[in-house]
Amino acid sequence: VTGVQTCALPILLHVPFRSNLERFDDIRNDMGYVIATFVMAVVVAPVVEEVLFRGLIQRSLASVMPQWTAVALQAVMFGCAHFDPRRGAGNIGLVLVLSGVGAVLGTSARLTRRLAPGITAHAIINGVALVVAFTR
């Protein structure tokens, strides 16, 4: 199962899914919060998460297990790291989708042996999600 297929599973199987951007309706007019959120989501989170999940975790796992198993395991860990008890059953779809994203980013790190492409892709994904959340 590829990362793209994993991301499509919640839609195809009607798995409960709740976005982690739902609560932005109340704060979209607070420019300070909007700017801080963009900086955290588009700069800080991609760097920290890529270094942690694809750099530290994936590379550590790959030293003791097959490369593709390490990619898959860190992807599931990445998805689970975004679990939020307030979303209830909606976490199922979110964890599946973000595990798929983690698999794609992990594959990129594995094939390129670099974190920069994943950091860039992660920043773009987060930026697009925030633009959608703040403009809908």
Side-chain angles (χ1 to χ4, degrees):
V1 177
T2 69
V4 173
Q5 290 168 326
T6 303
C7 290
L9 282 176
I11 296 166
L12 295 174
L13 301 176
H14 304 289
V15 173
F17 181 93
R18 289 187 60 199
S19 170
N20 55 354
L21 300 173
E22 290 175 345
R23 298 178 313 177
F24 281 90
D25 290 336
D26 299 334
I27 49 86
R28 80 173 50 160
N29 294 325
D30 181 348
M31 264 332 235
Y33 188 84
V34 170
I35 292 168
T37 300
F38 267 93
V39 169
M40 290 300 292
V42 178
V43 178
V44 177
V47 171
V48 170
E49 290 182 350
E50 292 307 306
V51 168
L52 176 63
F53 287 98
R54 268 56 79 181
L56 181 65
I57 294 172
Q58 181 173 308
R59 289 178 184 172
S60 296
L61 291 172
S63 70
V64 296
M65 63 181 59
Q67 294 285 329
W68 298 111
T69 304
V71 169
L73 191 52
Q74 72 73 30
V76 171
M77 294 168 89
F78 178 73
C80 290
H82 293 84
F83 177 89
D84 180 355
R86 293 174 291 177
R87 287 189 206 104
N91 277 299
I92 297 167
L94 183 64
V95 168
L96 281 173
V97 166
L98 293 179
S99 293
V101 170
V104 170
L105 295 172
T107 299
S108 169
R110 165 77 177 100
L111 295 176
T112 65
R113 299 185 189 276
R114 297 178 61 229
L115 295 179
I119 291 169
T120 303
H122 197 146
I124 292 168
I125 291 166
N126 287 2
V128 168
L130 283 177
V131 167
V132 168
F134 281 119
T135 60
R136 64 180 170 94

